[in-house]
Amino acid sequence: MALSAADLQKRHDMEGAPDPFAPASEEEQTEHRSKPVKQELDTDSHSAFPSLGPSVSASATRGATQSAWGASNGPRIKPVISKQPVFTDSFTLATTEPTNKDNKPVTLGEIIKQVMAKYKVKIEASGNQRSRQTTFHIKAESQRELDKAKRMLLSLMSPVETFRVPAPISTIPTIIGPKGATLKQLRDQTGAKIEIPPKDSVNGVTNGHAAGDDEDEEPSVTITVTGPKPLALEAVDLIKQIIASKTSRSTQRIRDIPSNVLPFILARKSVYEEAAQGGELKLQSVQSEITASGERDTVHRVVDLIKADITELSSGLTQIKIALPKRQHRLLVGKDAQDIMTKSKCAVVVNFDEPSDEITIWGRPVDLSSGLAAVMEQANSKYIHEFPLPGPVAVSKQLLEYMKRISYPKTLSDKHPGVSVFTPTPATIDRAHSLVLDIVGDKPAVDAVVRQVSEFIGKHIGATREVTIDWLVHRVINGKNAKKIKQFHETHNVLVYFPPESGERSSVLLVYDPFSKAASPSPDDRAKSLDEVTKELTKMAKEAADVKSETLQIEKRWHEAIIGQGGTTLNAIIGEDKALSIKFGLDAGDSATEDTVLIRGTSVDVTRATKEILQIVENAKNDEIVNSYSTVFDIDREFVGRVVGAQGAGINKLRDQLGVRVDVSDDVDEKESGKKKKAVHYKSKVKITGRKENVEEAQKRIIAQIEKLADETSEVLQIPSKYHSSLIGSQGKYVVRLEEKYSVKITFPRQSTENGEGKTREPLKLDEVLIKGGKKGVAGAKAELLEAVEYEKETNNVLKFTVPTRSVARILGKGGKSINEIKDTTEAQIDVERVDEDQTNITVTGTKKAINAAKTAILAIADQVAEEISVTVPVDSKYHRTLIGAGGQGLKDLVTRCGGSSDSRVLANLIKFPRQGEPSNEVRLRGEPAIVNKLKAELVKAVATLRDRVVMAVEVPAGQHRNLIGRGGQHLNELQDRTGAQIQFPGSRSYAQVGEPENAADFGDMDPANIVKVTGPRAACELAIDTLKKSVKTASPELLTATVVVPLKYHHVISQQGQFFRTLRSFGVQVDHSVQAQKPQTPARPASNGASAARIDQDEDSDVPEAEWEVVPNYQDAEEGDSIWTLKARDQAGLERAEKLVQEAIEHAKSMSSIGFLTLPDRTAFPRIVGSKGANVMRIRQETGADVQVSKENNTIVIIGSENNIIAAKDAVMRMVSGRPRRQQHD
């Protein structure tokens, strides 16, 4: 229990004359006797300082006074007045001549009046002239008021004195307490000023010992206590109690332990803990140092034992060196090294920064053999895969840097327990010509990680780039453009990584994010995005500042003066923005000397720093370096909390960076008017002590912070939530523009909660918008926001109505022409949303005049649309595909000719063919009578034409097919348009599907590769055949030939839909076949024999639809026999190359031993599976090695390859199906 001020007076012989004021009653005597009694202070208990004031008197703990309105007090109409408790205290002080803060004398009456005016107390004083003492008697209604009044009276009546208390360094943390809590409570209880020297000031030589040596005599520091004598003595007594409870402890360090000895010492930790014999001991190891702390005797005993072991081990250990591949060194560090020590009593030392493969094994001679065995066992205990990073070393470094930035090795280790991924050390990276990742673990798990890393690397090839921007302007760029840099990922899909400032590296890493939804697989798109971001960053760097260098030659002995204690002076020169680099001696560059000082930064900062450094050196030469310079200035009390910071973080930062001490004290100026006082202003004094340059820099920072805080304000605007999205803009561009323009922060509520407030840090309601910043900026942003709201109110009127769905096509017009004309004419925004087949919602937004005009125009068009009719036209299913055309183009052309819209939504309602597999042959037409009747007539005509179609053959040498087709099929299309017939060359997709020519018998002995099929009306076919014959050129000179036997069952796999033969033709080789494969290219799914195929069922919470998967052996129903391929080439090199390619293709076809049939419920996911121009299918083929064929006729995807490859391809397809984005629902 803490001592009261009165007890301290008695303890220090300050007790005076007897109390002339006798207690009025026995109760008051009891209260007076119940003062707190001194007890031993337990500083280890957190409860010692939460309440450092005296305990509540006994009378305060009695039962609470009953209410006058209680039932026990009789009728309510008869009030009872309860007696209030009275708290009293008496004490005696020596008579002094008190003064105010201006050192002007004040009377005792003025002091008593001042205390009574501030607190609800009554004070009486009686003086004894003989003993020159004054006795005070205080009465109050609460113990708290009494204590405060007594403390104030003591502070005003007692002289201010200063006491110094020496304290061991180890006790300082306890005196300060967690986050300064104990020190604050000491100050609050006693009202005394307690000053503890900064941490940096005790790092030198103290008590005759260097602070870095073993601490047999613990250094101490001096704590200064200043205040009214009784209160200062109370604070000194409390501090001494804390010191007394902690001086039994000691801390010692053992430094520079040899690296080969340290593992043996660490392994004996349990031995040292036993040597403590139950005493308190804590051992810690950092690099080559061991720290022992605890009870003094225990620490001395254990440290002596450790030192003896170090001496014995240093002379008793021997070594052997062996060479192991660098990758195996990973298995000999950390816990693995401890295991080796446990098994063999030997230590292994590995150095990853050295290029050598050698490791060193230390131990006693008798243990080295077992140590070597343990090392070899551990080195071969796990599988290690060396994964080389691709590309030039510059690209490898970029990929490695990105992996480190996103903690990719840790992510892999977490996802694959038991696997560790190690990256090269910095020293290895600097000198290596190629970089390697070491992946350690069990082989199956390592292989899985290798596949994942390969996929990761594959997606990031070409997705990284380094931009060189001077590191000095990185902080400026980030400060001014933080939001814009963050938005690079949204606008360009590019992530920007600035290097840490401590590394002083000027390379900024750009990464195109391939995993985002907006990512493009195109290398050109990636390069374009990286170029855009590079351009933006370069522009920011130019705008940030111009960087220059200045080299000074200053004698090395003055460098320490420039740096200052703990780097404080250098921090003051560099400034808070740290956009300046100052290097000394040989660190300044290759041509530098020990006297060189290199300054780099913006021109203004370099000029300023040069001037300051030269001035500091001049002062040092003249012995004018003084660390006792101080300045005092006033700040408004309302800003004290922000300047000091939470738990003193603000002033601690200034102390650590600039080496100054900042003291803040309250200073209240009060004026009295009659019986009432009036506070005219509240100020706090700030005193900064330290080196002059550092003090001025600290004062400048504090004043700048206060100016910013003084101008800061906030305002909440009432804006209906329906206008928020318009005010924010797409991706926040409007609100970001306002924030940048006015330097403010604008916060909109995000989402409604149960109490009607938005989910933001600020307690905002749905219709509230918060603006924070400088007064001028807030006013400007407010005015512009309110102006925008008025504009939105005027222009954002909304009108909704419905129209018949049949009229939507007419309202939209061809290519949106009609609806766009209405928008341009009325200046209204129009949204069309179909509800069902009969009704469609129209939403019009704009001014009242605009929405009414738009509604009138839309309804006028809707009224013009006649009633719909429905008819059916019988069309054989074999003609459906031809009529629909590739991508539905045939259907679009047919409807356009009949006067209908080619819009896909309108087309879907107008004409519907039976779904694949349905037995019906009826085509349904629904729409306006005129268009439907025209469509019906055109369909009947087209079907009649298809029925009259014939298939005829003509011989055209295979070598001339390419010329007849032309680049991009140009010649072929012209021929088909001119004759009206369709021409299929061998190798085309539809060649086998058009059927046998009616004149096939005339070409029985001819090479099938020379047979071209012509389909269409007979007259058109005859015209096309005649044109083809005329176009055939005479035979070219005899070519070099070779023959290869190719099994017919491999024909389609090798030909790759004609791609293989086009490849051969690219280097002048033509192929003739003795026999053509007659069966279709895509194998048919075998008929069900009663056994169901494997099902991929839909999980409860999965988006993966049901699918069927069936695997059968390949080639089981393929054609038997061989085909002799005759290769014709212009030269021997082309012929040999063609033969090699054919043989490789045959071997590849042999490996494709399985066929998988993946059947999905419908074809909705097929466009996503195929991708743009087949990109996704091609990617699956490249990644898995399987051939993927997506049917255009049914819901089955055929996958051909080895069993493992087709399973991998199937999994890739299912991932695409399950990755379908969900539909967003709009309010």
Side-chain angles (χ1 to χ4, degrees), residues 485-540:
I485 292 173
K486 186 177 180 181
Q487 288 177 348
F488 282 157
H489 187 257
E490 300 173 0
T491 56
H492 300 291
N493 202 49
V494 174
L495 300 169
V496 181
Y497 295 97
F498 285 87
E501 280 189 3
S502 59
E504 298 186 359
R505 291 189 290 119
S506 299
S507 57
V508 179
L509 178 63
L510 309 183
V511 181
Y512 184 88
D513 185 3
F515 296 106
S516 71
K517 295 182 179 179
S520 170
S522 170
D524 294 337
D525 291 343
R526 294 184 178 187
K528 183 178 179 182
S529 296
L530 292 171
D531 290 340
E532 290 291 335
V533 175
T534 301
K535 183 178 178 182
E536 290 289 338
L537 287 175
T538 305
K539 181 180 178 182
M540 292 177 188

Side-chain angles (χ1 to χ4, degrees), residues 267-334:
R268 291 175 55 82
K269 182 178 180 180
S270 59
V271 175
Y272 303 137
E273 290 176 345
E274 291 179 2
Q277 299 177 358
E280 182 183 354
L281 177 68
K282 184 178 182 181
L283 294 175
Q284 292 180 322
S285 172
V286 178
Q287 296 181 350
S288 61
E289 176 182 304
I290 292 179
T291 302
S293 58
E295 296 179 358
R296 183 177 297 275
D297 294 339
T298 301
V299 169
H300 279 288
R301 184 166 57 253
V302 171
V303 167
D304 290 342
L305 180 58
I306 293 175
K307 289 181 177 179
D309 286 346
I310 292 174
T311 303
E312 190 272 333
L313 289 169
S314 298
S315 59
L317 295 177
T318 57
Q319 64 172 346
I320 58 173
K321 293 185 177 181
I322 61 172
L324 285 176
K326 204 72 173 179
R327 63 178 181 275
Q328 290 182 297
H329 294 191
R330 302 288 189 185
L331 302 178
L332 303 176
V333 295

Side-chain angles (χ1 to χ4, degrees), residues 137-163:
H137 185 71
I138 307 177
K139 293 182 180 181
E141 295 180 357
S142 68
Q143 185 69 39
R144 183 177 181 184
E145 289 288 304
L146 187 144
D147 292 338
K148 289 183 177 179
K150 180 178 177 180
R151 194 172 301 281
M152 182 176 180
L153 187 58
L154 286 172
S155 65
L156 295 174
M157 292 296 299
S158 303
V160 176
E161 296 188 15
T162 299
F163 300 91

Side-chain angles (χ1 to χ4, degrees), residues 1086-1101:
S1088 176
N1089 57 2
S1092 61
R1095 297 175 63 85
I1096 306 173
D1097 291 327
Q1098 182 177 2
D1099 295 333
E1100 183 179 354
D1101 296 323

Side-chain angles (χ1 to χ4, degrees), residues 43-44 49 170-178 182-183 242 245-246:
T43 56
D44 288 332
F49 288 98
S170 62
T171 65
I172 297 301
T174 307
I175 295 173
I176 296 175
T182 305
L183 182 60
I242 296 175
S245 67
K246 293 295 179 181

Side-chain angles (χ1 to χ4, degrees), residues 819-1049:
I819 198 71
N820 288 335
E821 287 180 357
I822 297 174
K823 290 180 180 179
D824 295 339
T825 303
T826 63
E827 297 183 352
Q829 177 65 36
I830 304 172
D831 295 321
V832 180
E833 181 183 5
R834 178 176 174 179
V835 179
D836 51 39
E837 294 185 357
D838 298 324
Q839 294 292 327
T840 295
N841 288 336
I842 306 292
T843 303
V844 186
T845 306
T847 63
K848 292 182 179 179
K849 180 180 178 181
I851 62 177
N852 290 329
K855 179 181 179 181
T856 302
I858 291 172
L859 292 179
I861 297 174
D863 293 340
Q864 297 174 4
V865 179
E867 293 293 332
E868 296 180 343
I869 63 171
S870 295
V871 298
T872 57
V873 181
V875 178
D876 291 343
S877 59
K878 62 183 178 180
Y879 302 136
H880 290 180
R881 182 178 176 184
T882 303
L883 292 172
I884 294 173
Q889 189 60 44
L891 209 55
K892 291 180 181 179
D893 295 341
L894 178 63
V895 173
T896 303
R897 289 199 306 270
C898 297
S901 172
S902 61
D903 183 85
S904 57
R905 293 179 297 177
V906 178
L907 203 63
N909 290 328
L910 182 61
I911 181 168
K912 289 186 177 180
F913 281 79
R915 293 196 177 192
Q916 188 73 27
E918 291 184 3
S920 174
N921 287 334
E922 293 183 346
V923 178
R924 184 180 69 82
L925 307 178
R926 180 183 177 181
E928 297 180 25
I931 297 178
V932 169
N933 290 331
K934 288 182 181 179
L935 275 176
K936 180 179 179 181
E938 287 290 332
L939 278 175
V940 172
K941 180 180 177 182
V943 170
T945 301
L946 291 174
R947 288 191 181 130
D948 294 339
R949 187 185 68 167
V950 297
V951 180
M952 302 182 68
V954 61
E955 182 183 13
V956 177
Q960 300 188 31
H961 290 180
R962 186 176 183 182
N963 294 330
L964 292 174
I965 294 172
R967 182 183 296 273
Q970 180 181 359
H971 297 164
L972 177 61
N973 291 335
E974 291 176 354
L975 179 59
Q976 291 180 153
D977 293 341
R978 190 167 64 250
T979 62
Q982 296 293 318
I983 303 172
Q984 284 81 28
F985 285 87
S988 65
R989 295 182 180 179
S990 56
Y991 185 83
Q993 297 175 356
V994 298
E996 288 296 321
E998 63 180 27
N999 58 343
D1002 298 337
F1003 299 92
D1005 298 333
M1006 296 184 181
D1007 187 351
N1010 297 335
I1011 304 300
V1012 176
K1013 297 180 181 179
V1014 182
T1015 61
R1018 185 173 297 277
C1021 291
E1022 292 175 351
L1023 177 60
I1025 290 174
D1026 184 61
T1027 304
L1028 283 172
K1029 288 180 178 179
K1030 293 178 180 178
S1031 301
V1032 173
K1033 298 180 181 179
T1034 57
S1036 57
E1038 185 175 355
L1039 303 174
L1040 298 175
T1041 62
T1043 58
V1044 180
V1045 178
V1046 178
L1048 283 174
K1049 62 182 179 180

Side-chain angles (χ1 to χ4, degrees), residues 224-522:
T224 304
V225 182
T226 305
K229 186 174 181 179
L231 304 180
L233 289 173
E234 181 182 358
V236 169
D237 191 67
L238 292 172
I239 292 173
K240 287 183 176 179
Q241 290 184 46
I242 296 175
I243 294 173
S245 67
K246 293 295 179 181
T247 50
S248 62
R249 299 178 57 82
S250 175
T251 299
Q252 292 193 38
R253 296 178 179 85
I254 307 171
R255 293 186 171 91
D256 300 327
I257 303 175
S259 59
N260 62 310
V261 175
L262 183 61
F264 294 89
I265 299 298
L266 296 178
R268 291 175 55 82
K269 182 178 180 180
S270 59
V271 175
Y272 303 137
E273 290 176 345
E274 291 179 2
Q277 299 177 358
E280 182 183 354
L281 177 68
K282 184 178 182 181
L283 294 175
Q284 292 180 322
S285 172
V286 178
Q287 296 181 350
S288 61
E289 176 182 304
I290 292 179
T291 302
S293 58
E295 296 179 358
R296 183 177 297 275
D297 294 339
T298 301
V299 169
H300 279 288
R301 184 166 57 253
V302 171
V303 167
D304 290 342
L305 180 58
I306 293 175
K307 289 181 177 179
D309 286 346
I310 292 174
T311 303
E312 190 272 333
L313 289 169
S314 298
S315 59
L317 295 177
T318 57
Q319 64 172 346
I320 58 173
K321 293 185 177 181
I322 61 172
L324 285 176
K326 204 72 173 179
R327 63 178 181 275
Q328 290 182 297
H329 294 191
R330 302 288 189 185
L331 302 178
L332 303 176
V333 295
K335 185 177 180 301
D336 297 327
Q338 295 176 8
D339 293 341
I340 293 173
M341 171 65 74
T342 303
K343 292 179 183 177
S344 63
K345 300 180 181 179
C346 291
V348 57
V349 179
V350 177
N351 191 342
F352 289 101
D353 293 335
E354 294 292 334
S356 171
D357 287 342
E358 283 189 345
I359 64 170
T360 306
I361 305 173
W362 289 89
R364 301 182 188 279
V366 295
D367 298 327
L368 284 177
S369 59
S370 60
L372 178 61
V375 167
M376 297 305 298
E377 180 184 357
Q378 182 62 36
N380 295 287
S381 62
K382 292 183 180 179
Y383 174 71
I384 304 175
H385 181 89
E386 290 184 320
F387 189 98
L389 294 178
V393 70
V395 176
S396 300
K397 289 181 179 179
Q398 295 169 15
L399 293 171
L400 181 61
E401 177 68 16
Y402 179 54
M403 289 181 180
K404 292 181 178 178
R405 286 300 189 97
I406 64 174
S407 301
Y408 189 61
K410 183 178 184 301
T411 302
L412 290 173
S413 299
D414 294 342
K415 188 175 180 181
H416 302 274
V419 176
S420 300
V421 181
F422 299 97
T423 57
T425 62
T428 303
I429 295 174
D430 292 338
R431 66 171 181 265
H433 298 291
S434 62
L435 301 179
V436 176
L437 297 179
D438 291 334
I439 306 175
V440 181
D442 295 333
K443 190 175 186 308
V446 169
D447 291 342
V449 172
V450 169
R451 288 193 296 270
Q452 189 171 345
V453 174
S454 299
E455 182 180 354
F456 180 87
I457 296 294
K459 289 183 178 294
H460 288 86
I461 291 296
T464 61
R465 181 178 297 179
E466 280 191 346
V467 181
T468 301
I469 298 175
D470 198 304
W471 71 270
L472 291 169
V473 298
H474 288 183
R475 176 185 287 259
V476 179
I477 293 175
N478 273 318
K480 293 182 178 179
N481 306 279
K483 291 183 179 179
K484 191 170 184 180
I485 292 173
K486 186 177 180 181
Q487 288 177 348
F488 282 157
H489 187 257
E490 300 173 0
T491 56
H492 300 291
N493 202 49
V494 174
L495 300 169
V496 181
Y497 295 97
F498 285 87
E501 280 189 3
S502 59
E504 298 186 359
R505 291 189 290 119
S506 299
S507 57
V508 179
L509 178 63
L510 309 183
V511 181
Y512 184 88
D513 185 3
F515 296 106
S516 71
K517 295 182 179 179
S520 170
S522 170

Side-chain angles (χ1 to χ4, degrees), residues 21 488 707 778:
F21 303 99
F488 282 157
E707 289 176 352
V778 169

